[in-house]
């Protein structure tokens, strides 16, 4: 009999099944033992009765500890009271390994202890749910872009120059030279968009930020679409449709996980394009009206963003930030050049920024001027300037942070639980 | 009228279309100008006649240089002689930018020149074809795994310890400490496989190898599935089915690109599971029979692999390498512990290794012994040993190299053309 998985067990109702997994929990009651078995695809209650399995196996099963590994064979029975709707009546079992005393028990553990044991903590039911949502965010986003004419072009991780400012770079010894870990694939995406029209990169990005907030990781994953001949409005439309698609897929394919996370899904069901759009200057006014001391020209901190999200039930855009607080490549707003054609997308319920993007400068002279103003090494940007020498076109793009999006969808506080092995200023282990 | 793309233009036969792109080539013949327009999705011939567009626009179009950017409007006509089957009869045009003299002309350029101009070289027709095949390799592989119960779990790039040997590590300054760029996601995949059953990681991996062969990049992308309760045979079956799926999808969705690359697709059509399986010891005999001086215990170099591929028309497996030349975590073959349960998959036509994998040691004591034998820092592997303390199970996995697979499918010589921005010992620019 070929082994099956718990997620597929409904196909074998009334028949025998063979499962391979780990012990999630056990309890016994006289001549019955109840073993919660997990196999990565789900959890099922397997029941051993002394009568069915015999004295020897019954004794052996009594030795099972949390996270012991085992194979079980048994009859699949529908049971509406069981989690998942099915139960396994054990006929045979093979213990693979009796686990040593498992460090993570149902009692409360401190966060540092859990992060030190991240390789095991991943087995817990809530972490399971979060990371399955994360995988669906990635899958659905790629699916949307692949189906809409975008080409996946991976951008380099080892780069010779900075993209998002020079203070947060990780330096790598590269043979006799130095290299830096990428902060964003954007500059390279601009080159591939000029070659392929509509592209996206998806990969890890790095910021040596000393921020210790719940929204910061030093290593995080970003999906970055870039579109030739697209302006600010085009890119906002793409963003809202992409986010609507991601949320729809997560609601559809991860309903069970959201339930386990006790997520109020009625809030996610409201996420439909188009999203509200707020000019930066109006956002500043709004903050002041709400009693926040904030001046034109500043960048929003997490608390400011949280206040802005009070007025919205869906993600919304804040567009046209002051040029002075945005990257050198942002196209000035022709209607008001103090502002640039940039846009952040803020998630509701206090989550704040999950996407940043905008229209890039297309004009050679202006871009060169900005590179000089920002005191960037001109030579390292020669190739980037080439994109404005040879068939420059208006173009725009954005980067959506996978972990921040996952945190919002799961309704959890901290991005460190939204990636399998988080890296922060104090942690690069395990 | 909403702009369309060249790949979608067949929908507008007999109607007017609006395209936005770049000039690939021009020629004129008296009162006609022929402009090959590319937009990233394809190439179309646009024809301007003096009669239709008038003197002023006709003159202006005469100034177009290679890679100038423009928008054109015109009537879509079916033309069986045209590449792509359609032609555009220009009614209106707007020049976005006249490009400076483009450095890449149809004449021959040296490879270093082309790599220095990689950001522009990407626009050429052959590079286009290769990178579209690459994107399909990634898409089809993820699709196969997503549809077969695998969960995408990203593994960290910044790691505290070595996985594939300590001599080829890139070192990163991590605040006050040091970190290393990952060489493989495998060790972490073993943790996530114990949590989720069937997982895969997909991301960049790094080897500071001084090898200057056509098969080496310092930064390359790897897809790494890992399966709990899987043995060597299971993993070979997964590999061959995955590769069959990838090849099938590339043949189906990238037929035009393979044609442009002049790839002999009849060779790819033969790629059907199951693949032939050759024991390492038999491979050594085979080499000796063919006059290659090769001793048991050595690792195959590219020339040895090329000789082995002579006998096969499809990819094939070489399994059970000597333990002494494989990584510390390889499970010994119980039938013959000098060999281990490792397997490489070699692509035919001289390409050689595209996948490496095997069964991992499940036993705590043996793994600890191997860690000590290899003089690895025991403390850094404590978490990895935990996987053998708490519910250890047999498990196996492999890593498939995206660029090597792409090179084979495209029938091209060097992996450096199989990634948007290649990194080698002498190159991390642009």
């Amino acid at each position: 009999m070929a082994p099956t998985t718990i997620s597929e067990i409904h196909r074998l109702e009334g028949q025998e099944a063979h499962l391979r997994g780990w012990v999630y929990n056990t309890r016994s009651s006289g001549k019955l033992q109840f073993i919660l078995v997990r196999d990565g695809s789900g959890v099922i209650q397997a029941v051993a009765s002394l009568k069915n399995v015999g004295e020897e196996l019954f004794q052996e099963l009594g030795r099972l500890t949390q996270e012991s590994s085992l194979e079980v064979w048994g009859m699949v029975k529908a049971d509406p009271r069981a989690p998942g709707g099915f139960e396994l009546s054990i006929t045979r079992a093979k213990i693979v390994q009796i686990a040593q005393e498992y460090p993570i028990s149902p009692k409360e553990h401190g966060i540092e202890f859990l992060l030190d044991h991240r390789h095991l903590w991943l087995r817990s039911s809530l972490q399971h749910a979060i990371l399955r949502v994360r995988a669906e965010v990635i899958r659905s986003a790629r699916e949307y872009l692949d189906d809409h004419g975008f080409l996946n072009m991976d951008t380099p991780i080892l780069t010779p120059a900075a993209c998002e400012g020079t203070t947060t770079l990780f330096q790598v010894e590269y043979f006799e030279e130095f290299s830096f870990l990428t902060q964003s694939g954007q500059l390279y995406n601009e080159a591939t968009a000029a070659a392929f029209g509509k592209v996206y990169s998806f990969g890890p990005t790095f910021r040596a930020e000393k921020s210790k907030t719940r929204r910061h990781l030093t290593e995080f994953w970003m999906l970055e679409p870039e579109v030739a001949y697209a302006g600010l409005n085009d890119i906002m439309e793409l963003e809202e449709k992409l986010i609507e698609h991601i949320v729809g897929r997560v609601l559809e394919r991860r309903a069970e996980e959201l339930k386990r996370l006790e997520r109020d899904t009625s809030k996610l069901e409201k996420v439909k394009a188009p999203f509200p759009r707020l000019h930066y200057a109006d956002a500043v006014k709004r903050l002041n009206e709400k009693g926040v001391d904030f001046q034109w020209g500043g960048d929003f901190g997490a608390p400011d963003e949280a206040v802005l999200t009070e007025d919205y039930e869906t993600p919304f855009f804040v567009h046209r930030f002051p040029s002075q607080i945005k990257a050198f490549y942002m196209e000035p707003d022709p209607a008001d050049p103090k502002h640039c054609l940039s846009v952040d997308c803020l998630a509701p319920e206090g989550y704040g920024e999950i996407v940043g993007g905008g229209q890039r400068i297309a004009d050679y002279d202006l871009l060169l001027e900005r590179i000089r103003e920002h005191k960037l090494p001109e030579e390292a940007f020669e190739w980037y300037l080439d994109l404005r020498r040879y068939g420059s076109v208006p173009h725009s793009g954005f980067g959506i942070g996978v972990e921040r999006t996952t945190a919002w969808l799961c309704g959890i506080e901290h991005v460190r639980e939204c990636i399998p092995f988080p890296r922060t200023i104090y942690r690069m282990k395990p």
Side-chain angles (χ1 to χ4, degrees), chain A residues 101-154:
Chain A
E101 194 185 347
Y102 195 63
I104 303 177
S105 57
K107 75 168 194 281
E108 286 269 317
H109 296 283
I111 183 68
E112 290 305 320
F113 178 86
L114 291 170
L115 286 169
D116 283 341
H117 292 85
R118 184 63 173 166
H119 53 294
L120 303 175
W121 188 27
L122 291 172
R123 302 179 186 185
S124 84
S125 142
L126 287 184
Q127 297 306 310
H128 238 255
I130 295 167
L131 291 166
R132 285 172 61 85
V133 169
R134 182 183 191 274
E136 189 55 38
V137 168
I138 295 168
R139 182 181 179 182
S140 59
R142 292 183 80 113
E143 168 187 88
Y144 185 86
L145 295 172
D146 287 341
D147 289 346
H148 286 79
F150 284 76
L151 196 74
N152 176 200
M153 290 285 286
D154 293 309

Side-chain angles (χ1 to χ4, degrees), chain A residues 315-329:
Chain A
F316 60 100
F317 295 114
V318 179
H319 57 85
R320 293 180 169 79
F321 285 78
S323 298
Q324 65 191 53
I325 56 166
K326 285 289 177 183
F328 71 95
Y329 47 69

Side-chain angles (χ1 to χ4, degrees), chain A residues 292-310:
Chain A
V292 179
D293 180 22
F294 189 95
Q295 306 261 314
W296 186 97
D299 204 357
F300 301 131
D304 307 312
E305 290 186 358
V307 170
L308 289 173
T309 71
E310 287 168 5

